[in-house]
């Protein structure tokens, strides 16, 4: 319903710079915009500002507004409330013509940074109505400028689909300026201004986030899913205009925690998040830099990081730009309160200060804190609740597709300059680099490059480079293979070298007992790989000493071809006290949980438990740790196979450990002449006649010997003369007590 109001002059110059129509609060309580009809059918939309100096029934206009709308002082105008549609009338970009308000021909040319102008304009006039041909008086850097709205492009958010939120732009006569609007400046004709920066001339609209961001251009591979999840949780709300967010009663996410193994791209991702946002330059801080030796300085360092955002929030409110603070190694300053020894409790007060800034009494809505750590367990749990670092994203080891992306990124320059040989297959390298982190793949490429460059260096008394190196240099497949074999090993990869030592003599399939164990192993591996009901599968190989249990466990784990295969052996923990041994075992399991498919071989369990029959003595601390870990299911989406070996099944039964394993398989010693002869034929040490002699002397006699011991005795017999080998071998078997008369 339109009402008549009398027009008056703006009370002061400062109020005229607001470019708002001043009203009495009693006339327009809670109204933000009005439509004024001075005469005829012309309508003009203004943003209103209540001020106590304006009498009821009066509207105060500045000179620019009166000139634009043809308003005569002390005349009556028709006025009614105007409501913007937040879905279809928010400005995507606006083109402004700028010139000094006071034009002086003798004034030297003036240079203005259009980016800073755009930032200040958004903070000053965010939430204002802008119409084509509307004049605006703008105060910047203690000077006044005259702006003219040349073009308005609004976004139609009714076209938004799914997660890829984006507005469809279209030209309009009027729109609502939002903090995410693009502002483009053009200097007026005959103006002596020089505009620098990106916000000059016509360009396409850019929201606070570009949903079609190219991950490859960011230099990050294998993290597409993580980026999509972060976008959905942390940034989608910032794409929409503040009015829509207010209608939902929604608060923006203020904190993100990126955690995972070293080298997986946490720091790189945080930096790229800062670049992909239309925000202030990110502040990147290493956790230890916050700490200070003086009392209170550490807390002051936290406050300084947020000071600029606080000042802008008070000055501009919802129109404030986004301030990003990145904490690298955040676990250094945010340890669980009470966990750090000492009287000063500096860590506790630093955590308290950060909690207050993130979600204290005076909440900031214009900040985004990104923390990174590979020790999430050390961080105070109060920081991880919603409202603080509520988006917690695990940045894990890349899968095969992710590794291919990373390899493509790091070899792109070589391809461009034709330095990558045609025999290099990136898909093959992606398959071979199981459990490599992004940093390790980058190191692999560097190592291959070094190997290729080394071919063109002549190292004699002096180091000389081939003069044709520029043309000859090519990185070949052999360079990558050399780097894989000798230079770069994954920190979370398999213990191939250790397992290969147990398979140096291979697996001799001397009979049904060995075949039975391998078949059971194959069945267990298949169950781990394909079954969704049993993410944790455990298998115990038990049998007499030297029966080949460790070699069979190594063979099964190798045949599984799981990305993560780790050996937990007592020989790697010599000298460890009980607590250190528990931590070492737990770390192996924690590392295994980070891979989708993992296998752990726990060798010689009774030795790990420090068991001795005299006493008896054992480590109850290690026993309890193993019992817990062997029952603990891996995280969702992860599968774990544990293969244990023991020579004391009776002891594990007394420890109530036998029932923890889902399958117990017996590994037999060689106990028949036929099995013995199979091993002898495989060893190729004895001639056919000697094998016949051994067969005659072992038939009908009791035989009991482990394959490991047998191979050692065969090697001893190899050292004797050819004619005496058979008799010497029989004597050795009898001396060892492995061959007796029935």
């Amino acid at each position: 319903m339109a009402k008549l109001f009398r027009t008056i002059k703006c009370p002061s110059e400062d109020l005229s710079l607001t470019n708002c129509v001043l009203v009495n609060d009693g006339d327009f309580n809670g109204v933000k915009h009005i439509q004024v009809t001075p005469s005829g059918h012309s309508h003009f939309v203004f943003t209103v500002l209540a001020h106590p100096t304006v009498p009821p029934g009066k509207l105060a206009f500045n000179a620019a507004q009166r000139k634009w709308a043809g308003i005569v002082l002390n005349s009556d105008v028709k006025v009614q409330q105007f409501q913007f549609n937040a879905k279809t009338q928010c400005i995507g970009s606006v083109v402004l013509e700028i010139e000094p308000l006071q034009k002086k021909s003798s004034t030297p040319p003036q240079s203005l940074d259009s980016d800073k102008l755009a930032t200040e304009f958004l903070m000053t006039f965010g939430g204002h109505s802008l119409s084509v041909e509307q004049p605006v008086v703008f105060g910047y850097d203690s000077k006044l400028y005259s702006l003219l709205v040349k073009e308005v492009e609004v976004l139609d958010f009714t076209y938004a689909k799914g997660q890829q939120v984006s507005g469809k732009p279209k030209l309009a006569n009027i729109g609502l300026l939002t903090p995410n609007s693009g502002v483009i400046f053009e200097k007026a004709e005959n103006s002596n201004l020089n505009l620098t920066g990106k916000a000059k001339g016509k360009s396409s609209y850019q929201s606070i986030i570009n949903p079609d961001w190219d991950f490859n251009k960011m230099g990050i591979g294998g993290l597409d899913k993580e980026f999509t999840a972060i976008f959905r949780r942390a940034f989608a709300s910032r794409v929409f205009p503040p009015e829509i967010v207010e209608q939902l009663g929604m608060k923006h996410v203020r904190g993100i925690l990126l955690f995972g193994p070293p080298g997986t791209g946490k720091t790189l991702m945080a930096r790229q998040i800062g670049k992909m946002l239309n925000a202030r330059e990110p502040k990147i801080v290493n956790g230890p830099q916050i700490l200070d030796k003086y009392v209170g300085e550490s807390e002051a360092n936290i406050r300084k990081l947020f000071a600029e955002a606080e000042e802008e929030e008070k000055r501009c409110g919802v129109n404030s730009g986004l301030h990003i603070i990145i904490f690298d190694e955040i676990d250094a300053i945010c340890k669980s309160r009470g966990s750090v020894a000492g009287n000063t409790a500096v860590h506790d007060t630093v955590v308290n200060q950060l909690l207050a800034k993130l979600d204290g009494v005076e909440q900031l809505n214009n900040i985004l804190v990104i923390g990174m750590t590979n020790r999430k367990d050390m961080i105070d749990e109060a920081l991880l609740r919603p409202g603080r670092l509520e988006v917690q994203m695990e940045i894990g080891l890349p899968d095969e597709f992710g590794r291919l992306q990373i390899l493509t990124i790091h070899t792109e320059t070589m391809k461009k300059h034709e330095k990558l040989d045609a025999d290099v297959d990136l898909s093959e390298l992606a398959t071979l680099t199981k459990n490599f982190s992004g940093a390790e793949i980058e190191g692999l490429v560097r190592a291959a490059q070094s190997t290729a460059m080394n071919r063109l260096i002549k190292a004699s008394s002096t180091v000389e480079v081939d003069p044709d190196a520029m043309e000859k240099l090519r990185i070949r497949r052999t360079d990558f293979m050399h780097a894989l074999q000798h230079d770069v090993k994954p920190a979370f990869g398999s213990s191939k070298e250790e397992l290969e030592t147990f398979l140096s003599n291979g697996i001799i399939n001397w009979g049904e007992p060995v075949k039975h164990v391998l078949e059971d192993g194959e069945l267990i591996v298949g169950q781990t790989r394909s079954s969704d009901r049993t993410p944790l599968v455990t298998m115990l190989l038990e049998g007499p000493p030297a029966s080949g249990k460790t070699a069979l466990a190594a063979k099964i784990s190798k045949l599984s071809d799981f990305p993560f295969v780790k050996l937990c052996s007592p020989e790697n923990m010599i000298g460890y006290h009980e607590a250190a041994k528990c931590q070492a075992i737990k770390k192996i399991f924690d590392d295994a949980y980070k891979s989708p498919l993992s296998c752990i071989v726990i060798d010689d369990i009774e030795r790990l438990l420090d068991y001795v029959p005299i006493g008896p003595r054992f480590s109850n601390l290690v026993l309890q740790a193993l019992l817990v870990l062997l029952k603990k299911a891996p995280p969702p989406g992860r599968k774990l196979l544990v293969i244990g070996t023991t020579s004391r099944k009776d002891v594990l039964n007394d420890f109530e450990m036998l029932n923890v394993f889902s399958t117990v398989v017996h590994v037999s010693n060689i106990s028949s002449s036929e099995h013995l002869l199979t091993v002898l034929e495989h060893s190729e040490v004895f001639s056919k006649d000697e094998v016949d002699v051994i067969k005659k002397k072992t038939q009908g006699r009791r035989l009991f010997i482990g394959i490991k011991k047998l191979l050692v005795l065969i090697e001893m017999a190899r050292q004797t003369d050819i004619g005496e080998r058979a008799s010497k071998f029989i004597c050795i078997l009898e001396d060892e007590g492995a061959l007796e008369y029935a």
Side-chain angles (χ1 to χ4, degrees):
M1 183 70 182
K3 294 183 180 180
L4 288 177
F5 282 80
R6 179 59 61 94
T7 62
I8 62 173
K9 188 178 180 180
C10 191
S12 69
E13 184 178 343
D14 289 342
L15 290 173
S16 70
L17 292 178
T18 63
N19 287 283
C20 293
V21 173
L22 302 181
V23 300
N24 184 276
D25 193 31
D27 291 333
F28 296 96
N29 187 18
V31 176
K32 295 182 179 180
H33 309 284
I34 58 173
Q35 179 178 287
V36 177
T37 308
S39 62
H41 301 286
S42 298
H43 305 296
F44 300 89
V45 177
F46 295 95
T47 303
V48 299
L49 176 66
H51 199 270
T53 60
V54 179
K58 302 290 180 68
L59 299 179
F61 294 87
N62 66 19
Q65 292 168 336
R66 296 197 304 271
K67 183 179 179 181
W68 173 49
I71 294 172
V72 180
L73 288 176
N74 298 315
S75 64
D76 292 331
V77 293
K78 293 180 181 179
V79 179
Q80 62 183 19
Q81 181 179 343
F82 186 86
Q83 186 72 37
F84 278 98
N85 186 334
K87 290 186 177 180
T88 60
Q89 289 185 297
C90 288
I91 294 177
S93 65
V94 58
V95 179
L96 301 170
E97 187 178 84
I98 183 171
E99 63 179 340
L101 188 64
Q102 300 294 332
K103 301 174 185 177
K104 296 179 181 179
S105 57
S106 60
T107 306
Q110 183 183 357
S111 181
L112 290 176
D113 188 331
S114 59
D115 295 327
K116 292 181 179 178
L117 275 173
T119 301
E120 191 66 29
F121 183 83
L122 284 172
M123 290 192 295
T124 306
F125 299 116
H128 278 226
S129 163
L130 291 180
S131 303
V132 175
E133 298 300 323
Q134 178 181 349
V136 178
V137 180
F138 179 40
Y140 176 75
D141 198 18
S142 303
K143 295 180 182 178
L144 296 179
Y145 297 91
S146 175
L147 306 180
L148 184 65
V149 180
K150 300 294 289 183
E151 186 180 291
V152 172
E153 192 178 70
V154 297
L155 295 178
D156 190 346
F157 282 94
T158 58
Y159 286 85
K161 293 182 179 180
Q163 295 180 357
Q164 301 296 322
V165 180
S166 60
K168 184 177 180 180
K170 63 179 181 180
L171 293 175
N173 291 321
I174 189 171
L176 181 68
L177 192 70
T178 73
N180 297 331
S181 299
V183 180
I184 302 164
F185 285 95
E186 294 178 348
K187 71 173 185 175
E189 191 176 351
N190 300 324
S191 171
N192 62 348
L193 292 178
N194 290 327
L195 295 180
T196 61
K198 298 177 182 177
K200 60 181 175 61
K202 294 188 178 180
S203 61
S204 59
Y205 165 73
Q206 283 190 341
S207 170
I208 189 171
I209 298 170
N210 181 3
D212 300 321
W213 192 267
D214 187 349
F215 296 107
N216 291 323
K217 289 182 180 178
M218 297 172 71
I220 301 177
L223 296 176
D224 297 30
K225 292 180 181 177
E226 288 80 358
F227 249 105
T228 302
I230 290 174
F231 175 85
R232 176 179 60 82
R233 289 294 313 281
F235 302 135
S237 63
R238 296 186 185 273
V239 173
F240 286 97
E243 284 74 10
I244 294 181
V245 178
E246 286 179 8
Q247 291 171 14
L248 294 172
M250 185 180 186
K251 292 181 180 178
H252 297 305
V253 167
R254 292 191 288 272
I256 301 173
L257 179 68
L258 305 177
F259 65 95
T264 50
K266 298 184 296 296
T267 305
L268 181 59
M269 177 180 271
R271 286 174 178 161
Q272 294 297 352
I273 286 174
K275 289 181 181 178
M276 71 185 283
L277 295 178
N278 182 17
R280 304 289 180 271
E281 186 70 22
K283 295 178 181 177
I284 302 176
V285 191
N286 287 323
Q289 290 177 347
I290 295 295
L291 301 178
D292 197 286
K293 63 180 179 180
Y294 295 109
V295 175
E297 283 299 312
S298 299
E299 298 88 324
N301 290 337
I302 293 286
R303 291 194 293 272
K304 288 175 187 175
L305 292 173
F306 292 86
E308 189 178 332
E310 285 179 335
E311 185 273 330
E312 197 172 296
E313 175 89 359
K314 290 177 182 176
R315 182 160 58 94
C316 307
V318 295
N319 299 313
S320 170
L322 181 63
H323 293 254
I324 301 174
I325 303 170
I326 299 173
F327 285 97
D328 204 359
E329 306 298 341
I330 194 173
D331 54 280
I333 59 170
C334 293
K335 292 183 174 67
S336 296
R337 285 170 288 184
S339 64
V340 181
N343 298 322
T344 59
V346 172
H347 284 84
D348 293 1
T349 54
V350 168
V351 173
N352 292 337
Q353 184 68 77
L354 188 57
L355 291 175
K357 289 298 178 186
L358 277 173
D359 193 25
V361 177
E362 295 183 1
Q363 297 179 355
L364 296 174
N365 212 27
N366 63 339
I367 58 167
L368 178 64
V369 174
I370 304 175
M372 291 165 290
T373 180
N374 48 27
R375 294 296 306 274
K376 182 187 174 186
D377 56 301
M378 295 177 63
I379 296 178
D380 193 280
E381 60 183 15
L383 264 174
L384 304 180
R385 73 155 176 79
R388 290 163 183 169
L389 300 180
E390 65 176 278
V391 178
Q392 295 153 33
M393 186 62 58
E394 181 178 4
I395 309 300
L397 298 171
D399 56 14
E400 186 171 331
F401 177 72
R403 295 194 297 272
L404 180 59
Q405 280 187 320
I406 297 170
L407 284 164
T408 303
I409 290 168
H410 291 300
T411 57
E412 186 176 359
T413 305
M414 290 189 287
K415 284 182 181 176
K416 183 179 177 182
H417 295 92
E418 298 181 351
K419 296 299 179 187
L420 193 67
D421 202 83
D423 68 345
V424 177
D425 184 358
L426 296 184
S427 299
E428 179 193 15
L429 292 175
T431 305
L432 294 174
T433 50
K434 291 176 182 175
N435 272 35
F436 273 62
S437 67
E440 287 163 345
I441 292 174
E442 184 182 2
L444 176 72
V445 175
R446 281 201 302 269
Q449 291 167 338
S450 300
T451 305
M453 294 170 77
N454 191 60
R455 287 199 306 270
L456 301 173
I457 296 176
K458 302 172 184 176
S460 52
S461 56
T462 59
V463 177
E464 299 176 359
V465 179
D466 191 323
D468 299 325
M470 184 72 74
E471 298 298 326
K472 292 181 179 179
L473 184 60
R474 293 286 186 282
I475 288 78
R476 304 171 185 164
R477 180 182 179 276
T478 53
D479 299 324
F480 280 99
M481 294 300 113
H482 183 274
L484 273 172
Q485 189 173 358
H486 300 287
D487 297 327
V488 183
K489 301 293 180 184
F492 297 92
S494 61
S495 306
K496 286 184 179 178
E497 289 79 4
E498 290 180 278
L499 293 170
E500 286 295 339
T501 58
F502 299 121
L503 297 171
S504 56
N505 295 319
I507 295 294
I508 302 173
N509 196 341
W510 46 262
E512 282 297 320
V514 177
K515 183 181 177 183
H516 171 67
V517 173
L518 291 175
E519 285 176 349
D520 284 355
E522 186 178 350
L523 193 66
I524 291 295
V525 168
Q527 178 185 351
T528 309
R529 189 187 299 275
S530 59
S531 175
D532 294 327
R533 297 186 178 183
T534 53
L536 174 65
V537 180
T538 54
M539 177 184 189
L540 179 67
L541 301 182
E542 62 84 18
S547 58
K549 300 180 296 295
T550 305
L552 287 168
K555 183 69 174 178
I556 294 169
S557 64
K558 185 178 179 182
L559 290 175
S560 72
D561 199 30
F562 285 180
F564 183 96
V565 180
K566 214 71 171 178
L567 176 66
C568 179
S569 172
E571 67 183 48
N572 295 330
M573 302 183 191
I574 295 174
Y576 281 26
H577 56 78
E578 287 182 303
K581 192 178 287 188
C582 288
Q583 286 297 321
I585 296 171
K586 183 177 182 298
K587 185 179 186 305
I588 292 174
F589 275 81
D590 286 342
D591 290 347
Y593 295 149
K594 294 169 184 173
S595 178
L597 276 173
S598 305
C599 176
I600 299 175
V601 177
I602 306 178
D603 190 31
D604 218 354
I605 294 177
E606 63 272 17
R607 294 283 76 78
L608 271 177
L609 298 175
D610 298 330
Y611 171 78
V612 288
I614 302 173
R617 186 199 181 285
F618 70 95
S619 170
N620 187 53
L621 199 63
V622 178
L623 172 62
Q624 298 304 324
L626 279 175
L627 288 174
V628 170
L629 292 170
L630 287 170
K631 291 180 181 179
K632 180 183 176 183
R638 308 283 197 267
K639 295 181 179 181
L640 176 61
L641 169 63
V642 181
I643 305 173
T645 69
T646 182
S647 300
R648 295 300 302 266
K649 178 182 176 182
D650 57 324
V651 172
L652 297 195
N653 191 42
D654 292 340
F655 288 157
E656 298 182 350
M657 197 177 195
L658 209 59
N659 296 330
V660 175
F661 290 92
S662 52
T663 304
V664 179
V665 179
H666 179 69
V667 180
S668 304
N669 269 355
I670 294 173
S671 56
S672 71
S673 177
E674 291 78 9
H675 294 159
L676 173 66
L677 296 176
T678 302
V679 177
L680 295 181
E681 290 173 358
H682 185 273
S683 68
E684 298 179 350
V685 172
F686 302 94
S687 65
K688 189 176 183 302
D689 293 338
E690 289 173 329
V691 170
D692 291 338
V693 171
I694 295 171
K695 180 179 179 180
K696 290 177 182 178
K697 292 189 176 183
T698 54
Q699 278 184 341
R701 301 178 66 178
R702 186 185 296 115
L703 178 68
F704 193 77
I705 187 170
I707 181 66
K708 189 175 178 181
K709 184 74 172 178
L710 178 59
L711 292 175
V712 173
L713 300 184
I714 290 173
E715 286 301 308
M716 289 177 63
R718 187 196 290 270
Q719 311 308 315
T720 60
D721 295 333
I722 294 177
E724 302 175 0
R725 282 182 182 174
S727 56
K728 182 64 177 177
F729 178 68
I730 295 298
C731 291
I732 294 173
L733 285 177
E734 291 174 343
D735 292 342
E736 292 290 334
L739 185 63
E740 299 176 353
Y741 286 99

